[in-house]
């Protein structure tokens, strides 16, 4: 019986590692479709595998870290022949999500992201801070191997860091909310969700492709989605806006036309970062306030029952 339980645990862990590795590699292939070259190095403005890695660690724990390393290996092999120095990139891409996981667990992060502190923790301790590890190690490996001139360290580092961080801010909240997604029971809510989806797609497409500076139009929709549907509505909207913005930036159309690569990257990451922060933090704040209101209502109901039981009987009763 003991051996059977150990085998089940081992096989479950192995299956989780293989699933994470497959998802990491597949999402990496998707992210590389929108890759750009900075100082001769290939980077992507939205590296989705980091979002998958952090979500997988939060779900299954640190035992699935080999899946992250394996997925990174296959992603590197897809770009070029694997070399020994690339082991440093694998180490950096594995250590960064592990660091994010440990930091989030340290502060009591909840995967429901139903408190403002959870949203802030995911932004800073899950995305911005730990992703410096992968960017620093990866860029240093490129410089050490001669694939990148020393003068190009900081441009590549900033692009690498932004892409990894955006992967966490954009994709991890969506993955964490997927198990709790469900169709609204109210017909009005269903109609509102459909209207929001259509409006978000249309407005984001026009805003990212128009020659006019209309990128600000996506924020009312993000606020709408966060206030009315919380993370279940805002997370898909952020991913949609980010993908359309990156597509327009790589095609150099709309508000990204006629700018240098550096200017495009700055504008793109400013938009993606602002959209992710607005949606994530507002969703967490609204969810927290809703939970507080429900708790107060529950306490008031319990108090009313206690008062009713303790109240003296009325005359004639």
């Amino acid at each position: 019986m003991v051996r059977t339980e150990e085998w089940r645990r081992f096989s479950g862990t192995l299956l989780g590692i293989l699933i994470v590795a497959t998802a990491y590699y597949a999402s990496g292939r998707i992210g590389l479709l929108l890759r750009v070259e900075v100082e001769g190095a290939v980077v992507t403005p939205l590296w989705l595998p980091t979002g998958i890695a952090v979500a997988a660690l939060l779900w299954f724990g640190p035992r699935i870290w080999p899946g992250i390393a394996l997925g990174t290996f296959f992603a590197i092999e897809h770009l070029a022949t694997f070399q020994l120095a690339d082991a440093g990139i694998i180490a950096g891409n594995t250590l960064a999500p592990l660091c994010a996981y440990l930091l989030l667990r340290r502060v009591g992060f909840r995967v429901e992201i139903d408190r403002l502190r959870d949203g802030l923790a995911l932004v800073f301790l899950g995305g911005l801070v730990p992703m410096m590890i992968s960017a620093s190690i990866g860029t240093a490996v490129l410089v050490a191997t001669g694939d990148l001139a020393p003068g190009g360290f900081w441009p590549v580092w900033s692009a690498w860091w932004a892409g990894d961080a955006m992967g966490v801010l954009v994709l991890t909240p969506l993955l964490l909310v997927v198990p709790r997604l469900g169709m609204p029971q109210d017909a009005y809510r269903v109609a509102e969700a459909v209207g929001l989806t259509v409006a978000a797609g249309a407005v984001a497409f026009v805003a990212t492709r128009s020659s006019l500076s209309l990128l600000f139009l996506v924020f009312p929709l993000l606020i709408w989605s966060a206030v009315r549907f919380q993370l279940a509505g805002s997370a898909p909207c952020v991913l949609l806006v980010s993908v359309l913005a990156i597509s327009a930036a790589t095609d150099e159309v709309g508000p990204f036309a006629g700018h240098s690569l550096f200017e495009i990257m700055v504008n793109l990451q400013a938009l993606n970062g602002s959209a992710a922060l607005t949606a994530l933090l507002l969703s967490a704040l609204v969810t927290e306030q809703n939970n507080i209101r429900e708790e107060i209502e529950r306490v008031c109901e319990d108090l009313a029952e206690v008062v009713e039981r303790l109240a003296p009987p009325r005359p004639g009763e």
Side-chain angles (χ1 to χ4, degrees), residues 136-209:
S136 299
I137 295 178
T139 310
V141 168
L142 294 179
V143 173
T145 56
D147 294 329
L148 177 66
F153 180 89
W154 289 113
V156 173
W157 183 93
S158 60
W160 194 314
W161 170 72
D164 283 0
M166 286 303 104
V168 176
L169 298 186
V170 171
L171 188 57
T172 298
L174 178 60
L175 294 176
L176 293 179
V177 80
V178 163
R180 306 193 305 275
L181 287 178
M183 183 64 66
Q185 300 300 318
D186 184 19
Y188 174 78
R189 293 278 288 177
V190 173
E192 184 181 6
V194 173
L196 173 61
T197 302
V198 174
V203 171
F205 181 82
V206 172
T208 56
R209 295 279 171 172

Side-chain angles (χ1 to χ4, degrees), residues 19-228:
I19 292 174
V20 170
T22 302
Y24 193 103
Y25 173 67
S27 61
R29 290 287 300 271
I30 295 173
L32 289 173
L33 294 176
L34 301 175
R35 64 180 180 267
V36 296
E37 287 194 9
V38 179
E39 300 292 336
V42 176
V43 296
T44 175
L46 178 63
W47 186 238
L48 296 173
T50 55
I52 291 177
V54 173
L57 288 168
L58 290 171
W59 280 333
F60 307 117
R63 66 180 182 275
I64 54 89
W65 71 263
I68 302 173
L70 191 60
T72 305
F73 168 79
F74 286 120
I76 294 174
E77 185 69 21
H78 172 70
L79 287 175
T81 303
F82 183 82
Q83 299 177 357
L84 183 60
D86 294 331
I89 297 178
I90 294 178
N93 282 19
T94 304
L95 286 173
L98 277 172
C99 179
Y101 166 79
L102 294 174
L103 289 174
L104 290 173
R105 285 306 182 200
R106 180 72 176 177
V107 299
F109 175 80
R110 297 202 304 222
V111 296
E112 295 83 7
I113 315 181
D114 54 358
R115 302 172 299 177
L116 180 59
R117 59 178 291 184
D118 296 323
L120 291 171
L122 185 60
V123 170
F124 293 100
L125 301 182
L128 299 182
V129 173
M131 295 309 136
M132 293 180 182
I133 297 174
S134 55
S136 299
I137 295 178
T139 310
V141 168
L142 294 179
V143 173
T145 56
D147 294 329
L148 177 66
F153 180 89
W154 289 113
V156 173
W157 183 93
S158 60
W160 194 314
W161 170 72
D164 283 0
M166 286 303 104
V168 176
L169 298 186
V170 171
L171 188 57
T172 298
L174 178 60
L175 294 176
L176 293 179
V177 80
V178 163
R180 306 193 305 275
L181 287 178
M183 183 64 66
Q185 300 300 318
D186 184 19
Y188 174 78
R189 293 278 288 177
V190 173
E192 184 181 6
V194 173
L196 173 61
T197 302
V198 174
V203 171
F205 181 82
V206 172
T208 56
R209 295 279 171 172
S210 174
S211 58
L212 302 175
S213 298
L214 300 177
L215 292 176
F216 61 89
L217 291 179
V218 303
F219 288 96
L221 291 169
L222 293 174
I223 295 172
W224 175 15
S225 65
V227 171
R228 295 292 294 158

Side-chain angles (χ1 to χ4, degrees), residues 141-313:
V141 168
L142 294 179
V143 173
T145 56
D147 294 329
L148 177 66
F153 180 89
W154 289 113
V156 173
W157 183 93
S158 60
W160 194 314
W161 170 72
D164 283 0
M166 286 303 104
V168 176
L169 298 186
V170 171
L171 188 57
T172 298
L174 178 60
L175 294 176
L176 293 179
V177 80
V178 163
R180 306 193 305 275
L181 287 178
M183 183 64 66
Q185 300 300 318
D186 184 19
Y188 174 78
R189 293 278 288 177
V190 173
E192 184 181 6
V194 173
L196 173 61
T197 302
V198 174
V203 171
F205 181 82
V206 172
T208 56
R209 295 279 171 172
S210 174
S211 58
L212 302 175
S213 298
L214 300 177
L215 292 176
F216 61 89
L217 291 179
V218 303
F219 288 96
L221 291 169
L222 293 174
I223 295 172
W224 175 15
S225 65
V227 171
R228 295 292 294 158
F229 298 97
Q230 288 76 64
L231 199 61
S234 62
C237 285
V238 170
L239 180 60
L240 176 63
V241 169
S242 296
V243 170
L244 290 177
I246 293 171
S247 176
T250 53
D251 293 339
E252 297 186 13
V253 297
F256 304 101
H259 297 283
S260 66
L261 178 60
F262 175 77
E263 293 171 338
I264 291 175
M265 292 294 291
V266 169
N267 290 332
L268 176 62
Q269 299 302 0
L271 172 64
N272 287 342
S274 299
L277 285 172
T278 299
L280 180 58
L281 297 184
L282 184 58
S283 296
L285 181 61
V286 172
T287 302
E288 184 176 33
Q289 294 302 314
N290 289 342
N291 291 339
I292 292 175
R293 187 187 70 249
E294 292 175 1
E295 184 64 25
I296 292 175
E297 292 175 352
R298 192 159 44 245
V299 171
C300 289
E301 291 175 359
D302 294 341
L303 182 60
E305 292 179 2
V306 172
V307 171
E308 185 176 354
R309 287 198 301 266
L310 297 179

